[in-house]
Every structure is written in structure tokens, then in C-alpha cells.
Amino acid sequence: MIQVAAAIIIAYLVTFFLMPFIIKMARQSRIYDVPDERKTHTYLISSLGGIGLFAGLALSLLLTSDLKSNNAEFQYHLAAFFVIFTIGVVDDIFVLRAWKKLVGQLVTATIIIVKGHLVISSLAGFMGVYQLSPLAGYIISFFVIMLVINAFNLIDGIDGLAASLGLVSSVIFSLFFLINQNYPYAILGFALAGALLAFLVFNFHPAKIFMGDSGSMLIGLVNAILFLKFINTGSVVTDYPVKAAPLVGFGILIIPLMDVLRVFCIRLAKGKSPFSPDRNHIHHLLLNKGCSHAQATLLLLGSSLVFAGVSFIYMGININALLAVQSIMFFVGFFLVYYFGSRKKYLRVVSRRSEKAGAANSVQVFSLFHENEKSVVKEE
């Protein structure tokens, strides 16, 4: 328990004290996320917050985790964190093509699965499947890691959302590991939670800094590791076993996972790349219906807690029935927001305005840039 508490405190303090320096450095170096018609912010802001998250998480783990033989896989987890963080930072500064980010994610997943030996061995009866062959376990594990990383990467669209959802999921997974005395993975999740708590001080609306791809993909990777470990150990622990562990874990992560699957299907149906940017995410829908950033974030955060609670409460029913309950809840909620929101036509209006705005938008960005530069000069 002392190690757990230390992990939270160290991660929080490191991230909290680094953020102002990162914000100042980004201003002086003119490293900004420039607004456009697709993005939800209207002012220049740095997207290098992932640096603080990575520093807080990594230092906390190195100081509080035992990396000896019993937990040898953690050295590979740290190596994977470094790879995904590096890819993310390069993308935040120089903007990488989607396929290059995908290659980096595949390398990361390979480290976790091949070197860390974190492979799903059973689906606990999902779709009638129990024990998996080694090949099937590898394939499904790769899919899960890639899906969770991209889910958090793509849902990072409004102030505080990805950090809040990552905070909730990491705390829930960590509590499970803590109750069942799996302290290394409890420390991992709580360390991320501590870093995210500090980051939210600067990221909740109105945001002073964004986490960027370096932060969102790191959150996704940590949650993917916790998810895989939860699936493998959920039903075999003795203190608090979890039936239907794959679907309970899915329920904990359902907001980002269902959103990315829904958006990917929409893009593929339109003949576009699943990684092509658009405004079809659930947080965009909430903004288009009149919610503020804070309202949309809190609504999705509350929904995430409800889904996690329902998943634990009904984990004893048939695992396939649990998936049906989760899916019905998600799509009913989505239907209610989509068809009964306060501003049904707002999305189409914004779309038409953005198409006509072209040159005017570039002038606005140019103006915003110089206004921001003037404010920096005044501060100095």
C-alpha cells in the first residue's frame, strides 16, 4: 500500500511541476496545435502534454515497481512506453503519416506480446470460445492492443475527455489488481492515474495544454496492458474473481472502444481510410447538440462509470448476453443524443460554413497566431 501511494504521489508531482515548463517551452519554440474547421479549439495551444505524462509515469514506475525476476515483463512494458511515446512526440511536432504511426504501434504491440508474454489465453466462453490456441491468442492480443491505443488516440478531441476516461479505467483496473494483491499492475494503473490527475489541472476546459498523440497513445497502451492482464487473471484470482472478464473489461473501456469502432465503420462505408480525420466522434456529436466541452466530458465520464458498474453487477449472466446488454445501452444512449439533442441541424450548418470558409479560416489562424505571439511578448 505504501508503494501504491508513493506511485500516485510521485506521478502526480512530477507531471504537475513539469507542465508549466512544457507550456512555456512550447510557446517559446512556437510549437502549437493550429485550429482548423475540424478541431474544437479556436486558439493556439501546445500539444506536448504527453511529455509530462510520460515523465511522471516512467519515473513513478522506476522508483516504486519491483523489476526483478517475478515481474521481469515490466522492463518490456517500459520499453514499449518509450517506443509509443517517441512516435507520438515526433508526430506532435512534425506530423507523421498514418502508416508510420501504425508501424510504431505494431512494434509496441510486438514488444508487449513477444517479449512481455502478455497474451490472451481464454475468451471465457465469448461466442462459445474458451481456451485459445497460441496463434489465435497472439492475433487477438495484437488486435486488442492496436484497438485500445487508437481508441484513446482518436477520442482525444475535447478538453479533458481522454484524460478523464483514462483516469476512470486505470483506477478501476488498478482497484481490481490491488484487491487481488497483484501489486505491480496496481502500481502501473495508479501511477497513470496520478499523472492524469495532475494533467487534468491544465487540460480541463479551458485547456492550457493538450496531451497530443504522445499522451493519448501512452494512455491507450497502459490501458491495453491492464485490459489484457485483467482478461488473463480475472476469473482465476481467489480474492475477487470476475466472471466474463473479457466483457467486463470491455465495459470499463466501452466509450472509447465503441466510438472508434463506430467511426471506423462509418469511414469504411464511405470508402475512406479508417484513419482519415472527421467530426463523427461522439464528443463532436455532443458539441453539435449544444454541450460545452466540460458538459460533454462530464457526460461521457458519467456514462463510462455507469457502463463499468453495470458490467460488474451483471458479470454473472451469460457472457454473450452481457455483450448484448452493453451494446443496447450504448446505442440507445447514442440514439437519444442524436435524435433528441437540442440542436439537430447544427452539424450540417457547421459543415456548410466550413466548406465556404476556406480562405477566411486561414486568415483567422494567421491572426490568432500573431495575437498569441503578442501575448507571449507581453508576458516576457
Side-chain angles (χ1 to χ4, degrees):
M1 292 299 296
I2 293 175
Q3 285 178 298
V4 169
I8 297 172
I9 294 170
I10 292 171
Y12 181 91
L13 292 177
V14 171
T15 303
F16 182 82
F17 285 112
L18 274 180
M19 282 302 164
F21 294 102
I22 296 170
I23 294 171
K24 185 176 181 180
M25 179 272 291
R27 283 179 176 176
Q28 293 177 343
S29 304
R30 299 179 182 179
I31 303 174
Y32 299 114
D33 186 358
V34 179
D36 57 31
E37 66 276 1
R38 184 183 60 84
K39 297 177 181 177
T40 59
H41 63 288
T42 57
Y43 54 96
L44 295 167
I45 188 168
S46 168
S47 57
L48 296 180
I51 296 174
L53 285 175
F54 175 78
L57 174 65
L59 189 58
S60 177
L61 290 177
L62 288 171
L63 291 175
T64 60
S65 294
D66 183 2
L67 303 181
K68 296 178 181 179
S69 58
N70 289 339
N71 304 305
E73 72 269 22
F74 267 74
Q75 65 177 309
Y76 302 112
H77 294 349
L78 286 167
F81 297 163
F82 179 79
V83 172
I84 205 71
F85 167 73
T86 303
I87 294 294
V89 166
V90 172
D91 183 60
D92 291 333
I93 298 174
F94 299 106
V95 184
L96 294 174
R97 291 184 179 273
W99 70 267
K100 292 182 179 180
K101 289 169 61 177
L102 192 63
V103 170
Q105 292 171 7
L106 286 170
V107 171
T108 301
T110 301
I111 294 172
I112 295 297
I113 293 171
V114 176
K115 298 297 292 182
H117 303 293
L118 194 55
V119 182
I120 297 175
S121 57
S122 172
L123 292 184
F126 177 61
M127 295 297 193
V129 178
Y130 287 88
Q131 201 67 24
L132 292 171
S133 67
L135 178 60
Y138 275 94
I139 293 173
I140 294 174
S141 299
F142 266 103
F143 175 76
V144 168
I145 293 174
M146 298 293 288
L147 180 64
V148 178
I149 289 175
N150 283 289
F152 277 96
N153 185 213
L154 295 177
I155 207 166
D156 180 31
I158 60 175
D159 298 348
L161 179 56
S164 297
L165 293 177
L167 175 64
V168 167
S169 57
S170 61
V171 167
I172 294 174
F173 282 130
S174 297
L175 286 173
F176 165 80
F177 292 123
L178 183 63
I179 292 170
N180 289 287
Q181 302 178 42
N182 188 335
Y183 298 118
Y185 284 89
I187 289 172
L188 171 60
F190 279 123
L192 177 63
L196 289 173
L197 275 173
F199 177 73
L200 279 168
V201 174
F202 302 90
N203 182 242
F204 206 80
H205 189 71
K208 300 179 180 67
I209 192 170
F210 296 151
M211 67 174 64
D213 282 5
S214 58
S216 60
M217 291 197 296
L218 180 64
I219 296 172
L221 177 58
V222 174
N223 274 279
I225 291 171
L226 296 173
F227 186 21
L228 291 179
K229 192 68 175 179
F230 182 81
I231 292 174
N232 280 345
T233 62
S235 60
V236 298
V237 294
T238 55
D239 294 314
Y240 187 78
V242 174
K243 298 179 180 178
L247 266 296
V248 174
F250 176 73
I252 296 170
L253 297 170
I254 194 169
I255 297 296
L257 292 184
M258 288 295 281
D259 184 59
V260 74
L261 290 171
R262 184 184 61 84
V263 170
F264 276 7
C265 290
I266 291 173
R267 292 172 183 173
L268 291 172
K270 293 181 177 179
K272 297 180 180 180
S273 166
F275 296 99
S276 60
D278 55 31
R279 287 183 60 89
N280 285 318
H281 290 284
I282 192 167
H283 50 271
H284 290 136
L285 175 63
L286 290 171
L287 293 182
N288 294 336
K289 296 299 181 181
C291 290
S292 67
H293 279 236
Q295 289 171 337
T297 295
L298 292 174
L299 178 59
L300 292 174
L301 179 62
S303 300
S304 181
L305 289 169
V306 169
F307 276 110
V310 169
S311 298
F312 275 103
I313 291 170
Y314 291 101
M315 66 181 179
I317 67 174
N318 180 274
I319 189 170
N320 298 301
L322 179 57
L323 176 62
V325 170
Q326 293 169 335
S327 300
I328 291 171
M329 287 178 61
F330 180 86
F331 285 109
V332 167
F334 181 83
F335 175 85
L336 292 174
V337 171
Y338 189 84
Y339 286 99
F340 296 98
S342 62
R343 296 167 72 182
K344 297 179 182 179
K345 297 181 180 179
Y346 186 78
L347 180 59
R348 291 193 292 273
V349 172
V350 170
S351 178
R352 284 197 293 268
R353 286 179 180 174
S354 64
E355 289 174 359
K356 295 177 181 178
N361 183 65
S362 62
V363 171
Q364 181 188 19
V365 170
F366 183 81
S367 174
L368 285 167
F369 178 82
H370 284 280
E371 287 176 9
N372 193 286
E373 286 297 297
K374 290 177 183 177
S375 68
V376 172
V377 171
K378 288 179 181 179
E379 289 176 7
E380 292 174 347

